[in-house]
mmCIF file of all heavy atoms in Angstrom:
data_model
loop_
_atom_site.group_PDB
_atom_site.id
_atom_site.type_symbol
_atom_site.label_atom_id
_atom_site.label_comp_id
_atom_site.label_asym_id
_atom_site.label_seq_id
_atom_site.Cartn_x
_atom_site.Cartn_y
_atom_site.Cartn_z
ATOM 1 N N GLN H 40 -5.851 -12.844 -7.020
ATOM 2 C CA GLN H 40 -6.609 -12.779 -8.260
ATOM 3 C C GLN H 40 -6.024 -13.726 -9.293
ATOM 4 O O GLN H 40 -4.835 -13.663 -9.613
ATOM 5 C CB GLN H 40 -6.629 -11.351 -8.829
ATOM 6 C CG GLN H 40 -7.496 -11.206 -10.069
ATOM 7 C CD GLN H 40 -7.641 -9.786 -10.541
ATOM 8 O OE1 GLN H 40 -6.768 -8.938 -10.321
ATOM 9 N NE2 GLN H 40 -8.761 -9.485 -11.189
ATOM 10 N N PHE H 94 -3.210 -8.968 -4.057
ATOM 11 C CA PHE H 94 -3.516 -7.576 -3.750
ATOM 12 C C PHE H 94 -3.674 -7.380 -2.253
ATOM 13 O O PHE H 94 -4.281 -8.191 -1.557
ATOM 14 C CB PHE H 94 -4.824 -7.149 -4.426
ATOM 15 C CG PHE H 94 -4.718 -6.922 -5.894
ATOM 16 C CD1 PHE H 94 -5.179 -7.863 -6.799
ATOM 17 C CD2 PHE H 94 -4.151 -5.744 -6.383
ATOM 18 C CE1 PHE H 94 -5.083 -7.644 -8.163
ATOM 19 C CE2 PHE H 94 -4.056 -5.514 -7.746
ATOM 20 C CZ PHE H 94 -4.524 -6.470 -8.639
ATOM 21 N N GLU H 112 -1.237 -1.870 -6.068
ATOM 22 C CA GLU H 112 -1.143 -2.251 -7.473
ATOM 23 C C GLU H 112 -0.859 -3.743 -7.659
ATOM 24 O O GLU H 112 -0.793 -4.213 -8.784
ATOM 25 C CB GLU H 112 -0.094 -1.402 -8.187
ATOM 26 C CG GLU H 112 -0.485 0.075 -8.214
ATOM 27 C CD GLU H 112 0.141 0.829 -9.370
ATOM 28 O OE1 GLU H 112 1.325 0.565 -9.666
ATOM 29 O OE2 GLU H 112 -0.553 1.687 -9.974
ATOM 30 N N TYR K 63 -16.634 -2.297 -8.326
ATOM 31 C CA TYR K 63 -15.266 -1.879 -8.524
ATOM 32 C C TYR K 63 -14.892 -1.996 -10.000
ATOM 33 O O TYR K 63 -15.394 -2.864 -10.717
ATOM 34 C CB TYR K 63 -14.307 -2.748 -7.677
ATOM 35 C CG TYR K 63 -14.265 -2.352 -6.228
ATOM 36 C CD1 TYR K 63 -15.306 -2.684 -5.361
ATOM 37 C CD2 TYR K 63 -13.198 -1.618 -5.723
ATOM 38 C CE1 TYR K 63 -15.278 -2.294 -4.032
ATOM 39 C CE2 TYR K 63 -13.162 -1.232 -4.391
ATOM 40 C CZ TYR K 63 -14.207 -1.575 -3.563
ATOM 41 O OH TYR K 63 -14.179 -1.188 -2.249
ATOM 42 N N GLN K 64 -14.005 -1.116 -10.400
ATOM 43 C CA GLN K 64 -13.514 -1.075 -11.777
ATOM 44 C C GLN K 64 -12.017 -1.342 -11.742
ATOM 45 O O GLN K 64 -11.297 -0.775 -10.915
ATOM 46 C CB GLN K 64 -13.799 0.313 -12.377
ATOM 47 C CG GLN K 64 -13.349 0.525 -13.797
ATOM 48 C CD GLN K 64 -13.527 1.994 -14.191
ATOM 49 O OE1 GLN K 64 -13.048 2.898 -13.515
ATOM 50 N NE2 GLN K 64 -14.242 2.239 -15.291
ATOM 51 N N GLN K 65 -11.562 -2.201 -12.645
ATOM 52 C CA GLN K 65 -10.130 -2.524 -12.680
ATOM 53 C C GLN K 65 -9.598 -2.410 -14.097
ATOM 54 O O GLN K 65 -10.124 -3.039 -15.020
ATOM 55 C CB GLN K 65 -9.888 -3.943 -12.144
ATOM 56 C CG GLN K 65 -8.414 -4.317 -12.074
ATOM 57 C CD GLN K 65 -8.199 -5.734 -11.570
ATOM 58 O OE1 GLN K 65 -9.003 -6.625 -11.794
ATOM 59 N NE2 GLN K 65 -7.090 -5.953 -10.882
ATOM 60 N N PHE K 66 -8.523 -1.633 -14.236
ATOM 61 C CA PHE K 66 -7.812 -1.536 -15.502
ATOM 62 C C PHE K 66 -6.607 -2.470 -15.461
ATOM 63 O O PHE K 66 -6.084 -2.778 -14.372
ATOM 64 C CB PHE K 66 -7.383 -0.098 -15.765
ATOM 65 C CG PHE K 66 -8.544 0.830 -16.012
ATOM 66 C CD1 PHE K 66 -8.977 1.713 -15.032
ATOM 67 C CD2 PHE K 66 -9.207 0.816 -17.222
ATOM 68 C CE1 PHE K 66 -10.048 2.563 -15.249
ATOM 69 C CE2 PHE K 66 -10.292 1.660 -17.453
ATOM 70 C CZ PHE K 66 -10.709 2.528 -16.467
ATOM 71 N N PRO K 67 -6.148 -2.921 -16.637
ATOM 72 C CA PRO K 67 -5.027 -3.868 -16.664
ATOM 73 C C PRO K 67 -3.812 -3.346 -15.903
ATOM 74 O O PRO K 67 -3.425 -2.182 -16.045
ATOM 75 C CB PRO K 67 -4.737 -4.003 -18.167
ATOM 76 C CG PRO K 67 -6.034 -3.713 -18.824
ATOM 77 C CD PRO K 67 -6.688 -2.649 -17.984
ATOM 78 N N GLY K 68 -3.246 -4.210 -15.078
ATOM 79 C CA GLY K 68 -2.046 -3.859 -14.344
ATOM 80 C C GLY K 68 -2.287 -3.008 -13.106
ATOM 81 O O GLY K 68 -1.325 -2.600 -12.441
ATOM 82 N N LYS K 69 -3.535 -2.748 -12.798
ATOM 83 C CA LYS K 69 -3.882 -1.910 -11.638
ATOM 84 C C LYS K 69 -4.755 -2.684 -10.667
ATOM 85 O O LYS K 69 -5.349 -3.706 -11.013
ATOM 86 C CB LYS K 69 -4.632 -0.651 -12.102
ATOM 87 C CG LYS K 69 -3.870 0.215 -13.070
ATOM 88 C CD LYS K 69 -2.645 0.835 -12.414
ATOM 89 C CE LYS K 69 -1.940 1.789 -13.346
ATOM 90 N NZ LYS K 69 -0.717 2.369 -12.704
ATOM 91 N N GLY K 70 -4.838 -2.159 -9.450
ATOM 92 C CA GLY K 70 -5.761 -2.731 -8.501
ATOM 93 C C GLY K 70 -7.170 -2.210 -8.752
ATOM 94 O O GLY K 70 -7.356 -1.165 -9.379
ATOM 95 N N PRO K 71 -8.179 -2.936 -8.276
ATOM 96 C CA PRO K 71 -9.556 -2.446 -8.419
ATOM 97 C C PRO K 71 -9.743 -1.124 -7.677
ATOM 98 O O PRO K 71 -9.082 -0.861 -6.676
ATOM 99 C CB PRO K 71 -10.386 -3.554 -7.765
ATOM 100 C CG PRO K 71 -9.508 -4.762 -7.766
ATOM 101 C CD PRO K 71 -8.108 -4.236 -7.621
ATOM 102 N N ALA K 72 -10.675 -0.326 -8.170
ATOM 103 C CA ALA K 72 -11.001 0.952 -7.535
ATOM 104 C C ALA K 72 -12.518 1.084 -7.451
ATOM 105 O O ALA K 72 -13.239 0.688 -8.375
ATOM 106 C CB ALA K 72 -10.407 2.113 -8.320
ATOM 107 N N LEU K 74 -16.131 2.228 -7.754
ATOM 108 C CA LEU K 74 -16.836 2.994 -8.786
ATOM 109 C C LEU K 74 -18.097 3.631 -8.208
ATOM 110 O O LEU K 74 -18.321 4.826 -8.304
ATOM 111 C CB LEU K 74 -17.202 2.049 -9.925
ATOM 112 C CG LEU K 74 -17.824 2.630 -11.179
ATOM 113 C CD1 LEU K 74 -16.873 3.599 -11.855
ATOM 114 C CD2 LEU K 74 -18.220 1.500 -12.134
ATOM 115 N N PRO K 109 -15.119 4.212 -24.984
ATOM 116 C CA PRO K 109 -13.950 3.309 -25.021
ATOM 117 C C PRO K 109 -13.129 3.329 -23.736
ATOM 118 O O PRO K 109 -12.568 2.316 -23.342
ATOM 119 C CB PRO K 109 -13.154 3.856 -26.214
ATOM 120 C CG PRO K 109 -14.203 4.423 -27.124
ATOM 121 C CD PRO K 109 -15.222 5.026 -26.196
ATOM 122 N N GLY K 110 -13.079 4.464 -23.070
ATOM 123 C CA GLY K 110 -12.361 4.579 -21.804
ATOM 124 C C GLY K 110 -12.990 3.793 -20.673
ATOM 125 O O GLY K 110 -12.371 3.605 -19.623
ATOM 126 N N ASP K 111 -14.210 3.311 -20.880
ATOM 127 C CA ASP K 111 -14.874 2.471 -19.874
ATOM 128 C C ASP K 111 -14.433 1.014 -19.988
ATOM 129 O O ASP K 111 -14.795 0.193 -19.133
ATOM 130 C CB ASP K 111 -16.399 2.526 -20.040
ATOM 131 C CG ASP K 111 -16.974 3.913 -19.824
ATOM 132 O OD1 ASP K 111 -16.387 4.682 -19.036
ATOM 133 O OD2 ASP K 111 -18.009 4.229 -20.452
ATOM 134 N N SER K 112 -13.685 0.697 -21.026
ATOM 135 C CA SER K 112 -13.223 -0.679 -21.221
ATOM 136 C C SER K 112 -12.341 -1.078 -20.047
ATOM 137 O O SER K 112 -11.291 -0.471 -19.801
ATOM 138 C CB SER K 112 -12.453 -0.805 -22.543
ATOM 139 O OG SER K 112 -13.300 -0.508 -23.637
ATOM 140 N N ALA K 113 -12.794 -2.075 -19.316
ATOM 141 C CA ALA K 113 -12.129 -2.486 -18.076
ATOM 142 C C ALA K 113 -12.826 -3.752 -17.572
ATOM 143 O O ALA K 113 -13.779 -4.229 -18.199
ATOM 144 C CB ALA K 113 -12.235 -1.378 -17.018
ATOM 145 N N THR K 114 -12.351 -4.243 -16.445
ATOM 146 C CA THR K 114 -13.046 -5.344 -15.782
ATOM 147 C C THR K 114 -13.839 -4.778 -14.615
ATOM 148 O O THR K 114 -13.320 -3.964 -13.840
ATOM 149 C CB THR K 114 -12.058 -6.415 -15.289
ATOM 150 O OG1 THR K 114 -11.327 -6.926 -16.399
ATOM 151 C CG2 THR K 114 -12.803 -7.564 -14.614
ATOM 152 N N TYR K 115 -15.073 -5.187 -14.497
ATOM 153 C CA TYR K 115 -15.967 -4.691 -13.450
ATOM 154 C C TYR K 115 -16.325 -5.833 -12.501
ATOM 155 O O TYR K 115 -16.651 -6.939 -12.926
ATOM 156 C CB TYR K 115 -17.237 -4.103 -14.067
ATOM 157 C CG TYR K 115 -16.954 -2.842 -14.849
ATOM 158 C CD1 TYR K 115 -16.469 -2.914 -16.151
ATOM 159 C CD2 TYR K 115 -17.116 -1.588 -14.278
ATOM 160 C CE1 TYR K 115 -16.169 -1.765 -16.866
ATOM 161 C CE2 TYR K 115 -16.827 -0.435 -14.985
ATOM 162 C CZ TYR K 115 -16.350 -0.531 -16.279
ATOM 163 O OH TYR K 115 -16.040 0.612 -16.979
ATOM 164 N N PHE K 116 -16.241 -5.530 -11.218
ATOM 165 C CA PHE K 116 -16.570 -6.506 -10.191
ATOM 166 C C PHE K 116 -17.698 -5.986 -9.314
ATOM 167 O O PHE K 116 -17.614 -4.860 -8.803
ATOM 168 C CB PHE K 116 -15.370 -6.764 -9.272
ATOM 169 C CG PHE K 116 -14.200 -7.440 -9.926
ATOM 170 C CD1 PHE K 116 -13.187 -6.683 -10.493
ATOM 171 C CD2 PHE K 116 -14.106 -8.820 -9.968
ATOM 172 C CE1 PHE K 116 -12.104 -7.298 -11.095
ATOM 173 C CE2 PHE K 116 -13.017 -9.444 -10.574
ATOM 174 C CZ PHE K 116 -12.011 -8.676 -11.137
ATOM 175 N N LEU K 134 -15.407 -5.744 -19.900
ATOM 176 C CA LEU K 134 -16.182 -4.903 -20.815
ATOM 177 C C LEU K 134 -15.269 -4.315 -21.874
ATOM 178 O O LEU K 134 -14.226 -3.737 -21.556
ATOM 179 C CB LEU K 134 -16.873 -3.774 -20.049
ATOM 180 C CG LEU K 134 -17.530 -2.682 -20.898
ATOM 181 C CD1 LEU K 134 -18.700 -3.257 -21.693
ATOM 182 C CD2 LEU K 134 -17.988 -1.520 -20.025
#
Side-chain angles (χ1 to χ4, degrees):
Chain H
Q40 184 174 27
F94 285 102
E112 296 205 320
Chain K
Y63 281 76
Q64 180 188 53
Q65 183 181 32
F66 293 104
K69 301 294 184 181
L74 186 62
D111 297 330
S112 298
T114 301
Y115 293 81
F116 293 92
L134 170 66

